[in-house]
Amino acid sequence: MPNKVFPEGFLWGGATAANQCEGAYDADGRGLSSVDVIPYGPERMKVARGERKMLSCEEGYSYPSHEAIDLYHRYKEDIRLFAEMGFKCYRLSVAWTRILPHGDDDEPNAAGIAFYRDIFEECRKYGIEPLVTIDHFDTPIDLILRYGGWKDRRMIDAYLKYCRVLFENYGSLVKYWITFNEINMLLHMSFMGAGIVFEEGENPEQVKYRAAHHELLASAKAVLMAHAMMPGSRLGCMLAAGQFYPYTCAPEDIWDGLEKDRDNYFFIDVQARGAYPVWAWKRMERAGVTPEMDAEDIATLKAGTVDFVAFSYYASRCTTADPEVFAKHARPGNAVFRAVVNPHLKNTEWGWQIDPLGLRVTANTLYDRYQKPLFVVENGLGAVDKVEEDGSIHDAYRIDYLRRHLEALRDAVCEDGIPVMGYTAWGCIDLVSASSGEMKKRYGMIYVDKDDAGGGTLERLRKDSFYWYKKVIATNGADLD
Ligand code: BGP
């Protein structure tokens, strides 16, 4: 049988987010952003969820975004390493407040504009296609103080002002854009995802669905603006994906799985199909949380649909309708998604369940639902790595995870015929974990010498997975061994 390979022009690469790697949080005119005030330690999740208000850097806390891995000063070295691996694509996000320090300034920050131009030009020098996330867990603090983040409709205009600056300055350098990272995270980590803090007396569901409506409108308007300003540009939405499997074949569990999946697909249904699904509207009506929507909104959502559906995939999820089963098998710890443990799967050190076939399931489901090209923009294993005396790092566990997921993706492409544009491995260079703020939860093929207490030289080292991924890319995925 001939080797199965990925399609020609497949965009192999890696992905990062500004706040998790750049550091230099107050350098060269950058303004403060939501992610800069989400601390390391036990309060992190409460702040990220919007349950604990922390709108400035408080005494006694440390904030991982402030230095991160200092990509701001080392991007040339880092992009050179990406090029050495053979990257065709680098997914990164722009820090909104590097461009507009207060979120909606009339004059953009020249240093911020120059910084990303340099990055994109550096990528182009090596033939690496940039894929830019416009908003990756990043709401300017000034807009949170003035508007309460995405609760307020005025956020749409601020976001569009920011988009216009990006499109004007980088239209000739960047073809692929994603409007919001993991837009469905708004429901789970409302401050991290949308700058929302829940105030006394507010109905959280109402706040979330109103904010979701604003982001969905902003996304549609950005798509329209991009297409008008940059002919040939391709705009994507982005889902934190992972199918919910029913814990048993009891019809109640099947229904529960369907409902939980819908919580997430809700966003992509609007962005990819151009309208709220009927069930979503009914559900919001029943809960008394429908957002205000006029005829113009309906027309905007319909016109501003995306060109491709991007998603992150780390694990599938498992659910039950039975509260007793849930209580007995609930995933331990500070899990972002409420789910039960799937007894058929093994766990990572952080309790994320490893399910390569789930990637094929997810890709098929998304394509059945949307019939738009897909892009896997995040996937990877967060694990502790050990540096040997000679500086080598033997991360066979990471290679195994990536290999099995790429085999499943290759099956989705070659066996099922799903159009997949590319694959960017998450945290191709070690960076700060979004959920835990740790450095020791490493995803990279490139090791960064930095620890959770902020120590380390920031030196970059190649792991075994670096050489493995280089070979995968060189053979266009034919050789995954
Ligand atoms: C996604 C985010 C990323 C990233 C990744 C891994 O939700 O888009 O920013 O960090 O998950 O998660 P973590 O860093 O929590 O391990």
Side-chain angles (χ1 to χ4, degrees):
M1 200 175 85
N3 272 344
K4 289 192 272 186
V5 289
F6 285 82
E8 207 167 315
F10 191 75
L11 292 167
W12 291 100
T16 62
N19 77 84
Q20 291 171 262
C21 66
E22 284 178 9
Y25 83 110
D26 59 355
D28 301 331
R30 183 186 180 282
L32 201 65
S33 177
S34 53
V35 278
D36 302 323
V37 298
I38 303 181
Y40 175 66
E43 296 285 280
R44 185 172 180 85
M45 264 299 170
K46 280 186 222 147
V47 176
R49 288 188 206 277
E51 295 161 4
R52 151 87 159 89
K53 193 173 194 163
M54 194 183 276
L55 297 183
S56 59
C57 302
E58 293 183 9
E59 200 71 33
Y61 291 92
S62 68
Y63 296 91
S65 76
H66 293 196
E67 185 191 54
I69 58 159
D70 195 32
L71 179 132
Y72 188 74
H73 295 109
R74 291 160 191 260
Y75 65 91
K76 288 209 172 159
E77 177 189 353
D78 295 338
I79 294 171
R80 197 182 324 121
L81 287 166
F82 298 159
E84 190 184 322
M85 265 190 281
F87 278 19
K88 314 281 181 229
C89 178
Y90 172 35
R91 173 180 176 232
L92 69 156
S93 74
V94 171
W96 186 333
T97 53
R98 245 187 238 297
I99 303 293
L100 302 179
H102 304 94
D104 57 357
D105 311 62
D106 288 331
E107 276 306 311
N109 174 27
I113 297 284
F115 171 65
Y116 292 107
R117 174 165 303 117
D118 280 357
I119 288 207
F120 301 143
E121 283 174 352
E122 199 66 15
C123 286
R124 292 255 166 243
K125 189 169 105 187
Y126 295 108
I128 297 174
E129 188 78 49
L131 163 60
V132 173
T133 315
I134 297 171
D135 182 341
H136 191 129
F137 297 160
D138 196 343
T139 313
I141 283 289
D142 266 41
L143 296 179
I144 297 176
L145 294 172
R146 271 185 279 152
Y147 301 151
W150 283 94
K151 283 179 196 177
D152 194 300
R153 205 177 167 102
R154 285 172 292 184
M155 281 298 290
I156 300 172
D157 286 338
Y159 178 85
L160 290 174
K161 204 167 185 181
Y162 165 50
C163 287
R164 181 172 292 282
V165 175
L166 297 185
F167 300 161
E168 268 167 9
N169 282 279
Y170 307 129
S172 59
L173 291 165
V174 180
K175 177 177 175 190
Y176 299 101
W177 303 83
I178 288 172
T179 53
F180 289 92
N181 179 62
E182 295 190 337
I183 191 164
N184 50 321
M185 277 299 179
L186 184 159
L187 300 180
H188 310 280
M189 296 208 287
S190 304
F191 184 71
M192 194 176 256
I196 292 170
V197 181
F198 298 103
E199 306 289 350
E200 274 292 302
E202 274 181 341
N203 173 352
E205 292 306 297
Q206 183 141 42
V207 168
K208 287 184 203 175
Y209 283 100
R210 197 192 312 138
H213 185 58
H214 298 151
E215 287 200 356
L216 291 168
L217 279 173
S219 175
K221 287 179 185 230
V223 171
L224 293 169
M225 185 194 282
H227 286 161
M229 290 176 68
M230 306 178 293
S233 58
R234 308 270 283 148
L235 277 283
C237 54
M238 198 308 206
L239 171 75
Q243 187 102 351
F244 271 99
Y245 300 162
Y247 189 73
T248 71
C249 53
E252 292 78 9
D253 280 359
I254 308 291
W255 179 252
D256 197 59
L258 183 140
E259 287 268 87
K260 294 245 166 61
D261 275 336
R262 279 178 164 178
D263 285 344
N264 297 310
Y265 292 141
F266 159 81
F267 295 87
I268 310 303
D269 286 352
V270 180
Q271 289 175 292
R273 294 165 164 171
Y276 278 82
V278 178
W279 54 262
W281 205 257
K282 291 254 173 219
R283 208 200 245 189
M284 290 189 295
E285 270 176 0
R286 275 199 303 277
V289 299
T290 43
E292 277 172 36
M293 178 148 82
D294 57 25
E296 206 184 313
D297 288 358
I298 294 173
T300 301
L301 294 177
K302 194 171 168 48
T305 53
V306 291
D307 303 307
F308 64 93
V309 173
F311 64 99
S312 61
Y313 176 84
Y314 294 92
S316 55
R317 301 154 190 155
C318 190
T319 186
T320 172
D322 184 334
E324 275 176 32
V325 178
F326 188 87
K328 204 162 155 209
H329 300 289
R331 275 188 57 193
N334 232 342
V336 173
F337 290 89
R338 276 173 59 79
V340 289
V341 173
N342 182 334
H344 301 283
L345 302 175
K346 293 209 170 74
N347 287 348
T348 72
E349 290 163 280
W350 272 264
W352 294 24
Q353 296 208 283
I354 302 175
D355 179 14
L357 184 55
L359 174 56
R360 185 175 178 183
V361 171
T362 299
N364 273 270
T365 306
L366 288 174
Y367 189 65
D368 282 352
R369 200 167 177 114
Y370 303 119
Q371 271 114 50
K372 301 226 179 204
L374 305 180
F375 204 137
V376 183
V377 293
E378 285 185 31
N379 173 240
L381 174 73
V384 175
D385 291 327
K386 178 166 173 275
V387 184
E388 306 295 338
E389 265 174 29
D390 63 356
S392 57
I393 297 129
H394 304 306
D395 57 342
Y397 37 89
R398 181 169 296 106
I399 294 173
D400 183 60
Y401 177 101
L402 294 170
R403 173 190 297 126
R404 290 165 60 211
H405 283 78
L406 282 172
E407 277 166 3
L409 185 65
R410 197 171 59 181
D411 285 342
V413 171
C414 298
E415 304 285 336
D416 309 327
I418 309 287
V420 181
M421 296 160 66
Y423 174 90
T424 52
W426 173 251
C428 45
I429 180 164
D430 290 347
L431 38 62
V432 173
S433 156
S435 57
S436 71
E438 291 162 316
M439 270 308 299
K440 73 165 187 268
K441 188 180 187 190
R442 298 173 182 278
Y443 286 87
M445 290 122 179
I446 300 164
Y447 183 90
V448 178
D449 181 25
K450 171 138 193 210
D451 59 36
D452 289 346
T457 61
L458 295 171
E459 190 194 354
R460 278 56 170 155
L461 297 170
R462 295 166 184 79
K463 304 183 193 177
D464 286 356
S465 56
F466 181 100
Y467 303 103
W468 173 82
Y469 197 43
K470 182 176 177 172
K471 181 192 64 181
V472 168
I473 297 176
T475 62
N476 200 18
D479 185 355
L480 297 176
D481 289 338

